[in-house]
Amino acid sequence: MMSDYPHQVSVPTRWKDNDVYGHVNNAVHYSLMDTAINEWMISKAGFAPLDAPSIALCVESHCQYKAEVSFPDTIRLGLRIGKLGTSSVRWEIGMYRASDDALIAEGHFVHVFVDRETRRPVPIAEPMRGEMAKLVAG
């Protein structure tokens, strides 16, 4: 349920999100998950994607589809952290149709933070780590 996610954002679907089958294409779900994560990192944790000394690389992603959604539906995304490691984080995302709270999809992304130049893993720096701790699932 949406209340299981401490960070939430609503996103309207777009005309171009529908595919030939009349529903939002699966690639859009992944894009929305990635957008919700990066929006949170930038707005809540102060991440500067263009010049931060470390960057987050996606090493794993998954999405399980539960129901269809179509334009002009609005999707509510919930974000939490399932596991916070030294240099990695497992983001968990729930997607719900805003009109009836139906669960559309559940997914996760695993990011590993690496040095921008060497691409070697580095510890997640403050203040990012402190802000992430607020999203850790209980």
Side-chain angles (χ1 to χ4, degrees), residues 79-97:
L79 181 65
R80 68 182 177 210
I81 291 177
K83 182 177 181 196
L84 181 57
T86 301
S87 62
S88 66
V89 58
R90 177 188 161 107
W91 304 95
E92 297 176 346
I93 303 97
M95 297 182 184
Y96 297 82
R97 187 173 26 246

Side-chain angles (χ1 to χ4, degrees), residues 22-111:
H23 59 236
V24 170
N25 186 269
N26 63 305
V28 174
H29 294 76
Y30 278 93
S31 179
L32 290 175
M33 289 190 290
D34 196 23
T35 298
I37 291 165
N38 282 285
E39 179 273 330
W40 180 90
M41 289 194 326
I42 293 165
S43 70
K44 303 295 185 197
F47 181 64
L50 299 179
D51 59 7
S54 62
I55 59 173
L57 298 181
C58 181
V59 298
E60 178 183 333
S61 62
H62 173 80
C63 188
Q64 185 175 21
Y65 305 95
K66 305 288 188 173
E68 289 184 322
V69 62
S70 301
F71 175 82
D73 288 326
T74 295
I75 299 174
R76 291 179 32 227
L77 290 97
L79 181 65
R80 68 182 177 210
I81 291 177
K83 182 177 181 196
L84 181 57
T86 301
S87 62
S88 66
V89 58
R90 177 188 161 107
W91 304 95
E92 297 176 346
I93 303 97
M95 297 182 184
Y96 297 82
R97 187 173 26 246
S99 62
D100 62 4
D101 288 330
L103 178 62
I104 298 164
E106 294 177 303
H108 70 260
F109 268 48
V110 176
H111 276 155

